[in-house]
Amino acid sequence: MPSVMGLLEERERAARQRVEALQAELLEAEAAWKRFVIARETVAEVLALPCGGEEGPPVVVAGEGSGRITTALPGSTVPQWHEGLAPAVLAPDYRRLMDALSGRGEAMDCRQLAAALGLEVVPAKVEGVRSKVKRLAARGWLAEDRPGMFSAVAGRAGGS
């Protein structure tokens, strides 16, 4: 029959091994957490850097202060329009659509817009234009007067 002291030493040894394993796991978790903090801070710094040219509206990164942006990059998302937001925050393709509509007093359909942008008036190009102007209209940048007919909203187009 084992002694009481032997049983206690065995349980002490098992508890110590578990504590050491948990401490190693904690160190790994802390290292991963620190990498995420550094990554978030780096992204916030990059987004806050000016890209040259005129200043744009502030950009807020979760948990950070505000920075300034100048223009959007191709492929960036279209923000919801609100007072004081300039077309400069839009990606170049969207700004070109806004400029094409701002010079006209009347609504245009997607075929007319494709032609105004110098694109071939083929279904693939027209559908690309359609998806962009629908997105702009859904987010308040353009007005869709009638189905498929788009026009600039006063104070939201041009001047980019």
Side-chain angles (χ1 to χ4, degrees), residues 29-115:
E30 282 180 335
W33 169 62
K34 287 178 182 177
R35 285 193 308 271
F36 285 120
V37 168
I38 291 169
R40 181 183 50 80
E41 290 171 349
T42 303
V43 169
E45 286 175 19
V46 169
L47 290 175
L49 290 176
C51 297
E54 64 186 63
E55 287 191 349
V59 174
V60 178
V61 178
E64 296 294 322
S66 64
R68 309 260 336 146
I69 61 169
T70 56
T71 60
L73 299 174
S76 57
T77 59
V78 176
Q80 182 71 34
W81 185 85
H82 58 81
E83 189 66 37
L85 195 58
V89 301
L90 297 173
D93 287 345
Y94 292 97
R95 284 196 310 268
R96 287 180 56 212
L97 285 165
M98 297 287 290
D99 291 342
L101 284 167
S102 67
R104 307 266 305 202
E106 60 197 46
M108 296 173 74
D109 66 19
C110 297
R111 294 175 63 81
Q112 293 169 320
L113 276 168

Side-chain angles (χ1 to χ4, degrees), residues 11 20 37 47 52 68 88 91 95 127 132 137 144:
R11 288 190 179 190
E20 289 171 355
V37 168
L47 290 175
R68 309 260 336 146
R95 284 196 310 268
E127 286 306 313
K132 285 179 176 67
E144 188 172 7

